[in-house]
Amino acid sequence: EAGVAQSPRYKIIEKRQSVAFWCNPISGHATLYWYQQILGQGPKLLIQFQNNGVVDDSQLPKDRFSAERLKGVDSTLKIQPAKLEDSAVYLCASSFDLYNEQFFGPGTRLTVL
Amino acid sequence: DQQVKQNSPSLSVQEGRISILNCDYTNSMFDYFLWYKKYPAEGPTFLISISSIKDKNEDGRFTVFLNKSAKHLSLHIVPSQPGDSAVYFCAARAAAGGSYIPTFGRGTSLIVHP
């Protein structure tokens, strides 16, 4: 079974630029999550989707971050404009439903200069 | 305010010995606890979990102990192997609140020396 795929794996941008990350969850998984992991900290949830609907986006900085999962499968997370403090690993995870174990992708390491 | 705390950023253990990773939590609503293991350049992978109705759960070399009164849990790895070298995250969630999203600690980096 293929795992959660993410791209790109690494991205370096300058502040005020825009960036987008892509995630392809495990086939059949209805729930998709985006986490931000700042160096030295644990993952923090940014947004949770159930199919193509948002379940929880209370921790998403909506002035600069946006995410979508239009067809209930792949998802993109965008940052516009990026700030220095956005430097982190962005992890995508998926689960069969809201109650089951989450499977994480390898993450995208973002560096904002 | 950190609701899940892993106060030891790193731990070094000799191969064959026991590794004990500790985790404390402050939210009494947490009723399910998980440990994740993370290798460099990979995402976290689920390792073992425990419900608040239990005080121990064992899976092979891995055992998690829960002390609800102390709001403390620990992960024991016996015997430790070099392949266990990774960052271990403790996480907790409160299903009673309707959310199954885990809150993660900062992680403990375990190094097992041959």
Side-chain angles (χ1 to χ4, degrees):
Chain A
E1 178 181 85
V4 177
Q6 290 188 248
S7 68
R9 293 295 310 275
Y10 305 91
K11 189 75 177 178
I12 300 174
I13 62 172
E14 295 189 349
K15 59 182 179 182
R16 291 187 290 273
Q17 285 188 322
S18 301
V19 65
F21 312 128
W22 173 83
C23 173
N24 181 239
I26 292 173
S27 177
H29 280 194
T31 312
L32 185 146
Y33 315 78
W34 283 103
Y35 287 86
Q36 180 193 58
Q37 185 180 7
I38 293 172
L39 185 64
Q41 298 184 18
K44 183 188 82 171
L45 180 75
L46 291 175
I47 189 167
Q48 176 191 14
F49 292 95
Q50 178 68 7
N51 297 308
N52 61 351
V54 175
V55 176
D56 185 350
D57 64 356
S58 58
Q59 299 294 311
L60 188 73
K62 298 181 187 64
D63 57 334
R64 298 184 300 106
F65 286 65
S66 64
E68 59 184 15
R69 194 185 184 199
L70 292 175
K71 297 183 179 178
V73 180
D74 293 5
S75 177
T76 56
L77 175 69
K78 296 179 182 178
I79 308 175
Q80 179 180 9
K83 293 185 175 181
L84 296 177
E85 58 262 35
D86 298 332
S87 294
V89 175
Y90 290 85
L91 293 162
C92 179
S94 71
S95 59
F96 181 74
D97 57 27
L98 290 171
Y99 317 108
N100 278 276
E101 173 192 347
Q102 297 180 30
F103 294 83
F104 285 84
T108 297
R109 180 175 295 278
L110 173 68
T111 302
V112 183
L113 303 176
Chain B
D1 179 35
Q2 272 193 287
Q3 298 188 64
V4 178
K5 301 178 183 178
Q6 293 178 258
N7 293 320
S8 298
S10 64
L11 176 67
S12 182
V13 172
Q14 201 72 30
E15 181 179 6
R17 301 276 191 149
I18 184 171
S19 295
I20 300 176
L21 296 96
N22 293 303
C23 178
D24 298 291
Y25 62 96
T26 57
N27 188 341
S28 57
M29 297 298 292
F30 287 145
D31 56 10
Y32 196 76
F33 304 89
L34 310 97
W35 285 94
Y36 287 84
K37 178 179 181 179
K38 184 183 183 305
Y39 292 117
E42 294 183 14
T45 55
F46 169 75
L47 185 59
I48 192 170
S49 63
I50 188 168
S51 165
S52 60
I53 63 173
K54 295 186 174 182
D55 55 18
K56 176 183 175 181
N57 188 26
E58 190 172 355
D59 184 2
R61 296 186 297 113
F62 302 90
T63 303
V64 57
F65 296 91
L66 175 63
N67 182 334
K68 284 176 55 181
S69 61
K71 293 190 177 66
H72 176 83
L73 64 155
S74 59
L75 174 67
H76 292 211
I77 306 173
V78 183
S80 301
Q81 299 174 355
D84 296 329
S85 297
V87 177
Y88 289 80
F89 290 99
C90 173
R93 67 187 195 198
S99 171
Y100 290 81
I101 303 297
T103 299
F104 287 84
R106 291 176 180 261
T108 297
S109 177
L110 173 66
I111 299 173
V112 180
H113 296 282

